[in-house]
């Protein structure tokens, strides 16, 4: 015989069971494992993304395939400069005609440096990384290489770039130029370039440069006056289109296609990665955004 008290107890038990079931269901939804996030498809021939905190891999596509690097090479150029002992960022470098002739001859990206001007090392780093100035790269290689001639100093500087790659234990990277305009033997991989960038980002000056959208340099002219350069604009479109972006460097070329080394920080977590040989400027940025969003979703 079911009494009123029994009915009440049964109803309470059913309510508890329903509530518990709801809690279990809710818990299952909110505790979805990070690895359940679907990896994106990218157009680039190669891609790699890692958690910058512990170098753990978050995404791979042909991560160790050797590809042309274009101007992402300049990350190593900057890294080598910033590693020089007793570096004076305010030291002045005179711009030589050979630098100007070089960019004209190669139809290269440039910072529009003026022959005879005195430009500081710090300014050259901005000219190197924002507008991707091959003239700035040449000036830095000439300044920080060793030797009695410009050619010898440039060769020495490229040697330092390769030594820096070896110090990072990179097996699939080789540089034959200071700016990515190589002689057929300038290559790296998405994984290696990401490691180079991660290492470079440990330097405060490098971090400050690569997150800057625009920079205006005031140089000394050969007549002793000052020149205010046209603003250098960062070629990395992610700085204005992907929240949390903190760098790093674009690259392009007939062989390299469209490349991008990138990094972003959200909720105290930083991801850093590379895409090589994408199909356009817009596509390399889309590839990078998909990869970073996937990485942040995995990190939670």
């Amino acid at each position: 015989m079911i009494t009123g008290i029994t009915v009440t107890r049964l109803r309470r038990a059913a309510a508890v069971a329903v509530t518990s079931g709801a809690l279990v269901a809710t818990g299952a939804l909110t505790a979805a494992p990070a690895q359940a996030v679907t990896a994106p498809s990218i157009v680039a021939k190669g891609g790699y993304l890692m958690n910058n905190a512990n170098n753990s891999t978050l995404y791979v596509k042909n991560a160790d395939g050797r590809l042309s690097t274009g101007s992402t090479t300049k990350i190593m150029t900057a890294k080598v400069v910033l590693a020089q002992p007793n570096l004076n960022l305010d030291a002045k470098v005179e711009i030589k005609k050979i630098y100007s002739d070089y960019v004209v001859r190669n139809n290269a990206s440039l910072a529009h440096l003026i022959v005879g001007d005195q430009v500081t090392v710090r300014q050259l780093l901005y000219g190197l990384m924002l507008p991707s100035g091959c003239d700035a790269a040449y000036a830095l290689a000439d300044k920080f290489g060793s030797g009695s001639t410009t050619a010898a100093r440039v060769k020495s500087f490229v040697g330092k770039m390769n030594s820096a790659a070896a110090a990072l234990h990179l097996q699939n990277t080789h540089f034959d130029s200071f700016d990515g305009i190589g002689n057929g033997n300038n290559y790296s991989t998405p994984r290696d370039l990401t490691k180079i960038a991660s290492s470079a980002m440990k330097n405060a000056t490098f971090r400050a440069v690569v997150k800057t959208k625009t920079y205006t340099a005031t140089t000394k002219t050969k007549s002793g006056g000052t020149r205010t350069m046209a603003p250098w604009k960062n070629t990395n479109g992610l700085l204005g289109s992907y929240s949390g972006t903190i760098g790093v460097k674009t690259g392009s070329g007939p062989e390299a296609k469209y490349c991008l080394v990138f990094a972003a920080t959200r909720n105290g977590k930083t991801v850093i990665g590379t895409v090589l040989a994408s199909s356009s400027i817009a596509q390399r940025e889309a590839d990078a955004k998909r990869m970073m969003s996937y990485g942040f979703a995995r990190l939670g």
Side-chain angles (χ1 to χ4, degrees), residues 74-84 87-91 93 111 113 119-133 135-137 139-141 144 157 203-212 215 217 232 234 248-249:
K74 291 167 183 161
I75 297 170
M76 183 59 95
T77 308
K79 175 176 162 57
V80 168
V81 169
L82 290 166
Q84 296 304 300
L87 178 66
N88 178 7
L89 290 169
D90 297 317
V93 178
L113 300 173
V119 184
T120 68
V121 172
R122 188 191 312 275
Q123 290 169 336
L124 287 173
L125 287 168
Y126 279 95
L128 173 78
M129 300 302 285
L130 273 63
S132 200
D135 45 357
L140 289 166
F144 292 103
F157 186 87
N203 182 282
T205 299
F206 184 89
R207 291 196 304 273
V209 170
V210 298
K211 73 178 182 182
T212 300
Y215 180 88
W232 291 324
N234 201 318
V248 177
K249 183 73 186 73

Side-chain angles (χ1 to χ4, degrees), residues 34-45:
Q35 53 267 36
V37 181
T38 303
S41 174
I42 62 171
V43 171
K45 286 185 180 179

Side-chain angles (χ1 to χ4, degrees), residues 265-296:
T265 298
R266 290 184 177 179
N267 300 318
K269 297 170 183 176
T270 299
V271 297
I272 186 163
T274 299
V275 290
L276 294 179
S278 196
S279 59
S280 68
I281 290 174
Q283 189 60 59
R284 72 185 175 193
E285 292 178 5
D287 287 345
K289 289 175 182 178
R290 289 191 189 109
M291 288 167 61
M292 288 192 289
S293 294
Y294 170 70
F296 284 126

Side-chain angles (χ1 to χ4, degrees), residues 11-300:
R11 284 174 178 166
R12 284 177 180 167
V16 169
V18 170
T19 303
S20 299
L23 287 171
V24 170
T26 303
L29 287 172
T30 56
Q35 53 267 36
V37 181
T38 303
S41 174
I42 62 171
V43 171
K45 286 185 180 179
Y48 181 76
L49 184 77
M50 74 181 191
N51 177 358
N52 199 50
N54 58 14
N55 298 340
S56 62
T57 297
L58 295 170
Y59 178 88
V60 293
K61 177 184 176 181
N62 188 28
D64 300 308
R66 293 180 177 182
L67 293 164
S68 179
T69 57
S71 285
T72 61
T73 298
K74 291 167 183 161
I75 297 170
M76 183 59 95
T77 308
K79 175 176 162 57
V80 168
V81 169
L82 290 166
Q84 296 304 300
N86 304 312
L87 178 66
N88 178 7
L89 290 169
D90 297 317
K92 291 182 173 58
V93 178
E94 182 175 338
I95 304 306
K96 300 176 182 177
K97 187 174 184 294
I98 193 172
Y99 311 155
S100 177
D101 291 345
Y102 172 82
V103 293
V104 171
R105 184 170 66 251
N106 289 284
N107 192 28
S109 53
L110 69 166
H112 296 281
L113 300 173
I114 307 300
V115 175
D117 277 11
Q118 299 281 332
V119 184
T120 68
V121 172
R122 188 191 312 275
Q123 290 169 336
L124 287 173
L125 287 168
Y126 279 95
L128 173 78
M129 300 302 285
L130 273 63
S132 200
C134 294
D135 45 357
Y138 201 155
L140 289 166
D142 192 13
K143 167 71 174 176
F144 292 103
S146 301
S148 58
T149 66
T150 294
R153 289 189 292 272
V154 166
K155 183 178 180 180
S156 164
F157 186 87
V158 173
K160 291 182 180 183
M161 293 169 68
N162 285 310
S163 294
L168 290 173
H169 308 291
L170 306 181
Q171 302 298 315
N172 295 301
T173 295
H174 184 268
F175 300 108
D176 68 357
S177 73
F178 49 77
D179 59 0
I181 302 176
N183 299 303
N185 202 26
N186 203 89
Y187 58 81
S188 189
T189 71
R191 191 191 306 269
D192 281 6
L193 269 176
T194 301
K195 290 180 178 180
I196 293 169
S198 180
S199 175
M201 289 289 274
K202 293 176 181 176
N203 182 282
T205 299
F206 184 89
R207 291 196 304 273
V209 170
V210 298
K211 73 178 182 182
T212 300
K213 291 182 182 179
T214 62
Y215 180 88
T216 301
T218 300
T219 64
K220 291 271 189 181
T221 67
K222 57 185 174 183
S223 62
T226 59
R227 184 194 312 279
T228 301
M229 301 289 291
W232 291 324
K233 296 180 181 179
N234 201 318
T235 55
N236 182 2
L238 295 179
L239 287 168
S241 65
Y242 190 84
S243 176
T245 297
I246 55 174
V248 177
K249 183 73 186 73
T250 61
S252 61
E255 185 181 358
K257 305 304 180 186
Y258 296 90
C259 311
L260 183 57
V261 181
F262 49 88
T265 298
R266 290 184 177 179
N267 300 318
K269 297 170 183 176
T270 299
V271 297
I272 186 163
T274 299
V275 290
L276 294 179
S278 196
S279 59
S280 68
I281 290 174
Q283 189 60 59
R284 72 185 175 193
E285 292 178 5
D287 287 345
K289 289 175 182 178
R290 289 191 189 109
M291 288 167 61
M292 288 192 289
S293 294
Y294 170 70
F296 284 126
R298 283 194 58 183
L299 293 175

